[in-house]
Amino acid sequence: MYEADLRATAGHSMAGRVGAGANTRLPELYRTMRRIRTFEERVGELFVRGQSAGSMLHLSIGEESAAAGVCASLRDGDSFTTHHRGHGIFLARGADPARMMAEIGGKEAGYCHGKGGSMHIADMGLGHLGANAIVGGGIPAVVGAGLSARHHKTGAVSVAFFGDGATGQGILYESMNMAALWGLPCVFVCINNQYGMGTNIAQATANPNLHERAAAFGLAAETVDGLDVEAVAEAAERLVEGARAGKPAFLAVSCYRFYGHARKDKSPYRDPVEEEAGRRQDPVAFARSALIDRGLESESELDRLDTEIGAEMDATIDFTVAQTEPPLASMFRDVYAPEEPEPEPVRARIDRVLARD
C-alpha cells in the first residue's frame, strides 16, 4: 500500500511552515507545477484525439514537485537527462510548451523536428542531453557531462532523472560509484512513483529506503516527500550545491503516479481504494492550499492564473495541429555528421540499378 495512505491529508497543513525563502519561492513553484499538470492533461487529450506520434506516451501527473523542486536549483549551463516520463522536467527547465507539443505530435516544428516524439526529446541549448525510453538509459550520460564540467572547470552540475524502476539497473550503481570515486558534480534524482510499469515497489525491492543504496557508494543521499514541493526544492538546493563542490548526490522523491504506466494503461493491477488515496496526495493542490493559507495568493488570483495557464496550453494543441509533418527527405538529417553523405534511399537505388540495366 502507498505510504501516504498512512497519514491524514489534514495533518499536512503548511500554514505554519517556515523555511529559507519559503514564502518567496512557493508562488513560482506552484506556477511551474500547474503548467506541468495542465500541459500533461493536454498531452493526454492530443493522444485521445489520435494526433500524437507513436502508440505510447507516459504522463507525469502526480510527480510535478520533483520536476519543479529540483529544477528550481539548476542554473544556466547545467545539464540533465530524463526518462520516458520527462515532459514536466523539460518544461520546468524552460522549454517552450508549443514546440514540445509539436514534437509529441510528430511535427516539423518540434524540438527534434518531429522525429523524437514523446520519449526522445532533447535540446542542447537548454542542457537537455536527451530523454530515453530505455530504463536507466540516460543515467551514465550525466557522468560524462560531470567529468567534462570538472575538467573544464565550468561549475556546472548534471542531473539524471529516472524512476524507481531504474534502481534495479546495474548502470545506476556503476554511475554512482564513478561519480563518487572521481568527485563529479552529478546528482541522481529518483522519482519514486511507487510503480515500475505494473509492479509495486514493495514487490521489487526488499529495502524501500532507496537513498541508502546511494549512501553506500559515498554519495550525499536523501529521501523527500514529494507532496511538499518546498521540501523537495530545499533538499535539491542542498544537494545540488554540494555536487557543485564535488560531492555527488542522490535524491529520492516519493510521490504517486496518478494514472497507468502509459496513457492506454488503465492500471488494473492497482486497487481503486489505493488509487483514490494516492491521488489525494496531490502536490499541486497542496501548494495551492498553502498559498491561500499563508495569504500569499487569494483563491480568485489563483483561479485567474490557472485560467491563463489553461489558455496557454490550449494554444499548444492548436499550434501542433496546424503544423506540418517532417518531409520524408529529412529522414537522415541529424543522424549523420553534416559532412557525411546521406544514405541513398532504396527506391532511388533500385531506379538507378534498373536504369543502368
Side-chain angles (χ1 to χ4, degrees), residues 88-111:
I89 298 162
F90 192 24
L91 192 60
R93 281 298 288 147
D96 177 354
R99 290 185 64 194
M100 286 179 64
M101 191 68 78
E103 185 59 41
I104 294 167
K107 298 300 181 70
E108 174 73 18
Y111 270 99

Side-chain angles (χ1 to χ4, degrees), residues 279-301:
R279 291 174 184 173
R280 283 200 299 269
Q281 309 306 312
D282 185 340
V284 179
F286 191 57
R288 179 186 172 96
S289 295
L291 287 169
I292 295 171
D293 288 347
R294 295 185 203 163
L296 297 174
E297 303 281 354
S298 68
E299 191 165 355
S300 61
E301 288 171 331

Side-chain angles (χ1 to χ4, degrees), residues 33-42 309-310 313:
M33 289 198 297
R34 174 55 70 184
R35 292 182 78 234
I36 293 171
R37 172 70 57 88
T38 309
F39 180 82
E40 293 286 63
E41 290 170 347
R42 300 303 185 269
I309 291 173
M313 299 311 171

Side-chain angles (χ1 to χ4, degrees), residues 324-357:
T324 59
E325 295 182 355
L328 187 61
S330 70
M331 181 185 305
F332 299 109
R333 188 193 309 156
D334 303 320
V335 176
Y336 295 88
E339 65 274 10
E340 291 291 323
E342 293 183 355
E344 184 179 18
V346 173
R347 182 73 260 175
R349 187 164 65 249
I350 291 174
D351 291 344
R352 175 171 52 78
V353 171
L354 291 176
R356 187 173 63 233
D357 293 342

